[in-house]
Amino acid sequence: MAVVEIRGLTKHFGQVKAVDGVDLSIQEGELLVILGPSGCGKTTLMRSIAGLEQPTAGEVLIGGRVVNGLPPRARQVAMVFQSYALYPHMTVFNNIAFPLKAQGGMTTEARKEKVEWAASLLGVEHLLDRKPRQLSGGERQRVALCRALVREPTVLLLDEPLSNLDAKLRASARDELQRFQRRLGITTIFVTHDQVEAMGLGDRIAVMNQGKVRQIGTPQEIYHESGDTFVATFLGSPGMNLMEREDCLLGFRPEHFLPQEAAEGRHNLTTFSLKVTRIEYLGADRLVYGVVDSVAGETRTVAKLPSTVTLSIESGESYPFFVQKQHLRFFDKATGTRTEPNPL
Ligand code: ATP
């Protein structure tokens, strides 16, 4: 049974359709990532699940029960925000104990046990007497998670909890978060605008844009079988190349666009002449930017070459590049939706 089910969820703020008819189903123990650009409605969707926003229309079910009428505290969900929102004047212990105190009905001893349980789960037992300002970013994140966990929620909602960390710490915090989520098996919804984070963490990813879920699937599915041009170009670094054809848009990913010298042993090639305008060295990869002639005139196109491709490439020159047919994707020109190739 789905732990969380969202049916036709809509939330308007005046004229703004922050969330616009979202259907989602999250399974027990799953880590679902909601990925989308700034302003696409991710936070509003999470706040609606948590009970911090009343939807304009639609239903939220938790554990099979409609919770629309229930206040946040009665929903068995815990939310960790981007800022962590720790109370600066309280010790770590009191920060973690806070939701239990607010809930009431627990002895001091039972509360202490619960705080220590959560603290040991996330390895912050030695920090319980400190104040938040005496913690590193990563430690604050763990304390915020402890505070979310003490009430043993059915669902954990995480809204960009890693965005305050520097790049290196972020990678280790992501790894830690994933291991802890697996170990606890807690159903988790994780919001981010960072595709690398989404691909690395999610069992499934729901890609959102303008209040709507554009596609939901495993990281592999949404990357290799993107359902529309928004998903295709939002994912990947850089995103998918798109080129106008008479009757459709043709798409292929930069890593599948290779110079002729890499063609040996590969079959079913579609070739293009790439006029190179700029080259970027990224350590392991080389990005080659240029233009290709298409029905719409010159189309900006980029290739991502691994270091095994040693061809010397100069800006201003043209080179034959190819894509294997199995890597070509076709999209409807008017709607941007994925289509089958036109047999003509
Ligand atoms: P970000 O990644 O920047 O946090 P988001 O995807 O989480 O963005 P939301 O915060 O859900 O997006 O906002 C979605 C839309 O709803 C935006 O256009 C935003 O300006 C608008 N919005 C959100 N909250 C309110 C509010 N309380 N009143 C009016 N408009 C709001």
Side-chain angles (χ1 to χ4, degrees):
M1 186 185 67
V3 172
V4 180
E5 203 167 332
I6 295 158
R7 294 181 185 157
L9 195 84
T10 298
K11 176 68 185 178
H12 295 175
F13 295 107
Q15 298 296 309
V16 179
K17 291 180 177 173
V19 177
D20 191 11
V22 165
D23 295 307
L24 275 180
S25 185
I26 299 121
Q27 305 304 315
E28 172 118 44
E30 185 177 23
L31 198 166
L32 178 82
V33 175
I34 299 183
L35 171 70
S38 182
C40 74
K42 306 180 294 293
T43 297
T44 306
L45 177 61
M46 292 282 261
R47 289 175 56 84
S48 305
I49 299 169
L52 301 168
E53 299 285 357
Q54 268 309 310
T56 310
E59 286 182 329
V60 177
L61 287 86
I62 296 175
R65 193 159 65 114
V66 177
V67 296
N68 284 43
L70 293 184
R73 203 166 286 169
R75 291 192 179 198
Q76 287 290 304
V77 302
M79 189 157 168
V80 175
F81 299 92
Q82 184 176 350
S83 61
Y84 309 147
L86 297 175
Y87 301 109
H89 58 286
M90 288 185 192
T91 61
V92 167
F93 183 97
N94 284 331
N95 263 286
I96 301 174
F98 188 82
L100 300 175
K101 272 194 176 161
Q103 172 183 271
M106 231 177 171
T107 64
T108 310
E109 194 48 40
R111 220 162 38 221
K112 183 163 175 283
E113 244 175 57
K114 226 21 183 312
V115 171
E116 283 167 357
W117 165 78
S120 71
L121 210 59
L122 284 147
V124 295
E125 312 96 307
H126 59 298
L127 304 174
L128 291 173
D129 293 331
R130 291 202 202 168
K131 297 274 176 64
R133 71 181 136 74
Q134 298 166 308
L135 304 177
S136 72
E139 288 165 347
R140 275 182 216 155
Q141 185 217 12
R142 274 181 254 159
V143 171
L145 279 168
C146 286
R147 191 178 54 182
L149 288 172
V150 277
R151 287 176 56 227
E152 298 193 46
T154 308
V155 186
L156 189 57
L157 305 178
L158 306 176
D159 191 356
E160 308 231 13
L162 310 183
S163 58
N164 289 334
L165 308 179
D166 67 46
K168 201 167 160 208
L169 196 55
R170 234 176 133 131
S172 64
R174 188 159 74 215
D175 181 50
E176 195 173 285
L177 186 76
Q178 191 169 40
R179 275 188 288 130
F180 138 85
Q181 193 269 344
R182 291 274 178 275
R183 199 172 65 211
L184 234 64
I186 184 166
T187 309
T188 304
I189 308 179
F190 184 103
V191 159
T192 183
H193 62 269
D194 179 339
Q195 51 158 321
V196 176
E197 201 157 277
M199 297 295 252
L201 265 180
D203 293 318
R204 286 188 305 155
I205 300 174
V207 184
M208 272 187 88
N209 187 36
Q210 298 182 333
K212 290 183 162 44
V213 171
R214 306 295 290 254
Q215 188 171 6
I216 180 159
T218 64
Q220 290 77 7
E221 279 164 1
I222 62 163
Y223 187 80
H224 293 293
E225 306 300 339
S226 302
D228 65 20
T229 51
F230 174 80
V231 177
T233 53
F234 188 70
L235 295 176
S237 178
M240 188 179 275
N241 292 303
L242 290 177
M243 202 173 281
E244 268 196 52
R245 283 281 171 96
E246 280 73 16
D247 53 354
C248 68
L249 290 170
L250 175 67
F252 50 86
R253 296 215 168 266
E255 63 271 29
H256 296 140
F257 193 41
L258 295 169
Q260 204 64 43
E261 74 151 41
E264 209 181 303
R266 303 190 204 230
H267 305 286
N268 291 323
L269 312 183
T270 299
T271 52
F272 302 90
S273 175
L274 179 71
K275 188 171 156 204
V276 175
T277 53
R278 195 161 68 87
I279 300 156
E280 264 177 28
Y281 290 92
L282 300 180
D285 300 317
R286 195 167 26 150
L287 291 182
V288 180
Y289 294 87
V291 290
V292 165
D293 279 331
S294 74
V295 292
E298 288 190 330
T299 300
R300 292 158 67 99
T301 310
V302 54
K304 191 184 216 170
L305 310 188
S307 54
T308 48
V309 176
T310 54
L311 176 71
S312 130
I313 293 175
E314 310 252 338
S315 209
E317 299 290 317
S318 291
Y319 300 85
F321 269 63
F322 71 89
V323 186
Q324 282 185 283
K325 290 209 166 73
Q326 77 215 53
H327 295 311
L328 295 176
R329 299 290 178 267
F330 301 87
F331 302 93
D332 185 273
K333 241 184 196 172
T335 63
T337 315
R338 174 106 183 252
T339 59
E340 288 305 310
N342 187 328
L344 302 175

